[in-house]
Amino acid sequence: MSRCFNFSAGPSELPLEVLEQVRDELLDFRGTGCSIMEISHRSKAFTEVHNETQQMLRSLLDIPEEYDILFMQGGGHMQFSMVPLNLMAPVSADPSRRGGGCYIVNGTWSRKAAHEAGRLGGISIAAEGDETNVPQQQDLRIPEDASYVYYCDNETVHGIEFNYVPDTGRVPLVADMSSNILTRPFDIRKFGAIWFGAQKNFGIAGLTIAAVRHDLIGRAPENCPVMLDWKSYSSKNSMLNTPPTFAIYIANLVCHWLEKQGGVPEMAKRAAEKSGALYSVIDASDGFYSGKVKPAFRSRMNVTFWLKDESLNDLFVEEAAALGLKNIRGHRSIGGMRASVYNAVPTEGATQLADFMKDFERRHG
Ligand SMILES: Cc1ncc(COP(=O)(O)O)c(C=O)c1O
């Protein structure tokens, strides 16, 4: 068997120990005589996994009881719709007049989220970044009657990460943390809601999680489709219908793995080491490699860079792959290279990629 170092932006690498445990209990899940994929979501064996996963996530992220943890499907794109449907609150006695969402836009995913919210109600833009930076607190314009302020904590395509939590006063703050959840401690009490897809740092595609403060649940309009109302998940412990059982099981194993590794603080330390190793090579390369994101906002998860001579791109990708360093091509919308160093990518993967980059520069620079 030969496993590569996988720098995919998502779905992405899983911890080897998790995959091994899946393999070991695939045919007979803990004495049930069936795989976990073959048992009812209401069975004792599965509900134990489901409840434990919620509890472990609560503890890993220090989420207090005033927040509900919801397990959903539909991915990030469904949350782009659910956030406005659930949070655009009535601004007057007339329930059809709802306060708009206010969006900080600085990359692909916040732009998509703002666009979808704009289809569903009024929105305003608090500030716009130029896809190399993060708008700063003093630049945010937040209308008084905004129902919420929304931003994306880590823009996966461009590799831009917020270096602060916006202060929005009394207006609830909502964050898309799809690509950096569980990679650094943060204080959820500063947020009304956060959400993330599982397929980068919490397992596999098919599971989407939100942590929502109680008072923000139950605000969706009467005619909101049941499956798009956070309340439907919160009132039924995310078991309104059949949940994505296999994805929840994988998330459970990832929680155990994270705990064993030392939890979120340890992940933060490793993320700084891994991304730091790559940014150091870029900065020392005298233009052979260059990044576009301003250093203060460089993502610790998605390291984006360009080769000065783009005719070397294919060779760079091929040679890296031959060394087992895979999936480093940049997003199709912006080109270049992108190495995603999520939690499951070992530090050794990042150092081997950094060594390869130095060697490639020596031979072609
Ligand atoms: C930060 C972020 N938000 C949202 C999305 C969209 O997620 P999905 O593909 O699950 O709809 C992605 C996808 O990579 C992402 O990285």
Side-chain angles (χ1 to χ4, degrees), residues 170-352:
R170 284 184 310 116
V171 182
L173 180 62
V174 180
D176 169 0
M177 295 196 177
S178 292
S179 48
N180 65 352
I181 193 73
L182 293 159
T183 71
R184 63 179 177 193
F186 68 97
D187 183 2
I188 195 157
R189 295 159 191 82
K190 295 184 174 157
F191 296 82
I194 59 139
W195 68 265
F196 54 96
Q199 64 265 30
K200 302 178 205 292
N201 277 311
F202 198 51
I204 61 171
L207 171 64
T208 314
I209 300 93
V212 186
R213 214 174 56 212
H214 287 324
D215 61 297
L216 298 176
I217 291 178
R219 291 189 175 190
E222 285 280 296
N223 64 351
C224 178
V226 169
M227 293 306 288
L228 297 178
D229 188 341
W230 280 335
K231 192 166 135 206
S232 310
Y233 298 84
S234 123
S235 62
K236 300 276 189 219
N237 190 26
S238 300
M239 286 266 197
L240 170 75
N241 71 335
T242 315
T245 53
F246 193 68
I248 292 171
Y249 159 68
I250 302 281
N252 181 271
L253 300 186
V254 170
C255 285
H256 282 280
W257 179 82
L258 282 168
E259 261 192 2
K260 253 192 266 154
Q261 303 301 306
V264 176
E266 174 63 21
M267 293 301 122
K269 187 170 144 274
R270 292 185 197 174
E273 282 164 9
K274 290 183 282 186
S275 58
L278 298 172
Y279 288 125
S280 302
V281 176
I282 294 166
D283 290 342
S285 76
D286 205 17
F288 184 83
Y289 303 110
S290 64
K292 295 188 178 163
V293 179
K294 303 212 169 75
F297 315 123
R298 282 170 162 176
S299 169
R300 300 160 310 119
M301 291 292 114
N302 313 99
V303 177
T304 51
F305 58 95
W306 281 256
L307 275 76
K308 189 172 182 184
D309 178 357
E310 296 222 60
S311 71
L312 293 173
N313 281 0
D314 289 346
L315 186 65
F316 182 81
V317 170
E318 268 165 41
E319 285 194 9
L323 294 171
L325 306 166
K326 297 209 175 151
N327 302 320
I328 55 172
R329 222 180 258 286
H331 190 269
R332 61 191 179 286
S333 63
I334 62 168
M337 301 294 151
R338 173 176 55 174
S340 299
V341 285
Y342 297 127
N343 285 345
V345 175
T347 306
E348 195 198 335
T351 48
Q352 282 195 21

Side-chain angles (χ1 to χ4, degrees), residues 39-48 236-243 245:
I39 58 176
S40 165
H41 55 292
R42 309 222 181 258
S43 63
K44 183 166 177 292
F46 180 76
T47 46
E48 274 172 15
K236 300 276 189 219
N237 190 26
S238 300
M239 286 266 197
L240 170 75
N241 71 335
T242 315
T245 53

Side-chain angles (χ1 to χ4, degrees), residues 9-10 74-78 80 109 150 152 154-157 176-179 195 197 199-200 208 342:
H77 280 72
M78 199 161 97
F80 296 162
W109 300 114
Y150 180 104
C152 176
N154 183 68
E155 281 286 358
T156 322
V157 171
D176 169 0
M177 295 196 177
S178 292
S179 48
W195 68 265
Q199 64 265 30
K200 302 178 205 292
T208 314
Y342 297 127

Side-chain angles (χ1 to χ4, degrees), residues 32-90:
T32 56
C34 325
S35 87
I36 184 126
M37 289 178 279
E38 300 168 301
I39 58 176
S40 165
H41 55 292
R42 309 222 181 258
S43 63
K44 183 166 177 292
F46 180 76
T47 46
E48 274 172 15
V49 171
H50 183 90
N51 293 338
E52 185 186 67
T53 311
Q54 281 179 342
Q55 279 316 317
M56 289 187 83
L57 186 61
R58 200 177 270 293
S59 139
L60 283 160
L61 293 176
D62 185 24
I63 300 179
E65 289 298 328
E66 313 86 273
Y67 291 75
D68 276 353
I69 295 181
L70 314 177
F71 288 169
M72 296 167 281
Q73 304 191 49
H77 280 72
M78 199 161 97
Q79 293 309 308
F80 296 162
S81 316
M82 284 181 83
V83 168
L85 281 170
N86 282 273
L87 291 182
M88 282 184 182

